[in-house]
Amino acid sequence: MWIGAVAIALLVVLPTLAVPVMLYLSIKGMAKAKHSLEPALLEEFPLDYRVATQTDQWARTKGLRFLGGSSMKLPNTVFIAAWQLSESPTFFCMYGVRDKYAYDFVTYLTPNRTLTTTNSRDGLMLPRRPGRYCQAFENTDFDTLWRWHQVSLAYLQTAGRIAPQAMNKSFGDAFTEAIVDQLRYVQSIPLWPVRGLKWYFVNRSKLSNKPIEEQHRAGLVKLPTDLTWREDEAS
């Protein structure tokens, strides 16, 4: 799912004791936000569109088609630029908040699975439902990020027997559904604001720069082919 949007909306340096409070307020604020993409006007996001235009030069070399720019309040306003690989279920996204940017690749898999490859370890902070796989590689160029996405996609297909899923919804619908689903999942975990200390200080570091295969072999994530797989297991 589109973890980058939520992650960049939470980007802030927090003192230890403030993490549970700020996480609680941020998640609650996101939950109350209007979860719909709105067209991002050029005059309102001139810098973001300039960065998106530069990014598009690389995206076109990989066959990625620009879908446009949008915005969403999470509760901070996030600028989202999206590209799609032909008619496949693979997307490339750019997120901007206050001149800070994060990028990720997302591929929809069946049934109800996703693979996200991002360039920000903040995307690893919030827990994800089983089957929503995420890997983060910091200080990585687009080519390396794209290569790792393809490597891990192949691993999920062979080791996990998970195949890409045809898209039967628009990018906007898929994006907003993913945001709402993650927020609901986080809030379903007992004592989630307190557990935010572990998510913030531990999860971001222990998973950073580890491809899905390495995460799996270390027991950090599970595949549907594992004997201990559970659909409802909390992180």
Side-chain angles (χ1 to χ4, degrees):
M1 61 176 120
W2 284 275
I3 293 170
V6 175
I8 200 168
L10 287 170
L11 281 178
V12 60
V13 178
L14 300 174
T16 302
L17 294 179
V19 171
V21 175
M22 294 307 297
L23 180 64
Y24 177 83
L25 294 176
S26 296
I27 294 296
K28 286 295 186 181
M30 290 183 196
K32 293 178 181 178
K34 181 182 179 182
H35 294 123
S36 63
L37 285 174
E38 298 180 354
L41 302 179
L42 177 60
E43 55 267 30
E44 294 180 2
F45 300 90
L47 176 59
D48 298 305
Y49 269 110
R50 188 154 60 246
V51 175
T53 299
Q54 295 169 351
T55 303
D56 184 61
Q57 296 177 11
W58 175 87
R60 284 184 293 172
T61 67
K62 301 300 179 184
L64 292 156
R65 176 174 55 88
F66 186 53
L67 300 179
S70 307
S71 66
M72 177 184 280
K73 292 186 180 297
L74 286 173
N76 293 323
T77 299
V78 180
F79 173 85
I80 303 118
W83 292 259
Q84 184 175 7
L85 182 64
S86 301
E87 300 304 318
S88 76
T90 293
F91 297 86
F92 175 50
C93 293
M94 175 190 115
Y95 313 99
V97 173
R98 300 173 184 173
D99 301 338
K100 293 182 179 179
Y101 297 93
Y103 300 83
D104 62 31
F105 292 98
V106 179
T107 296
Y108 269 82
L109 304 165
T110 184
N112 252 353
R113 322 271 188 233
T114 55
L115 169 64
T116 300
T117 304
T118 177
N119 70 337
S120 172
R121 69 172 182 168
D122 293 290
L124 299 169
M125 186 180 83
L126 296 180
R128 299 164 298 284
R129 292 186 190 277
R132 272 66 162 185
Y133 301 100
C134 181
Q135 54 187 1
F137 303 94
E138 293 192 293
N139 304 315
T140 301
D141 58 64
F142 294 150
D143 284 310
T144 303
L145 206 65
W146 174 234
R147 184 166 60 252
W148 274 121
H149 188 76
Q150 293 175 306
V151 167
S152 292
L153 184 60
Y155 181 75
L156 289 175
Q157 290 177 288
T158 55
R161 299 175 187 171
I162 305 172
Q165 176 178 329
M167 288 293 293
N168 57 4
K169 61 187 70 174
S170 69
F171 168 79
D173 288 343
F175 185 93
T176 53
E177 287 176 13
I179 296 294
V180 171
D181 180 71
Q182 184 174 26
L183 295 178
R184 286 177 177 169
Y185 180 63
V186 170
Q187 293 179 89
S188 73
I189 298 173
L191 301 174
W192 62 267
V194 177
R195 296 177 77 173
L197 283 167
K198 173 180 176 291
W199 301 339
Y200 187 82
F201 291 105
V202 178
N203 288 14
R204 294 188 311 153
S205 297
K206 77 175 182 180
L207 296 175
S208 184
N209 297 312
K210 290 183 175 64
I212 297 301
E213 181 175 0
E214 185 176 343
Q215 293 182 35
H216 182 226
R217 294 188 185 282
L220 299 173
V221 298
K222 296 177 182 178
L223 300 182
T225 49
D226 293 341
L227 294 177
T228 54
W229 167 264
R230 286 179 53 193
E231 289 279 0
D232 60 346
E233 189 172 52
S235 301

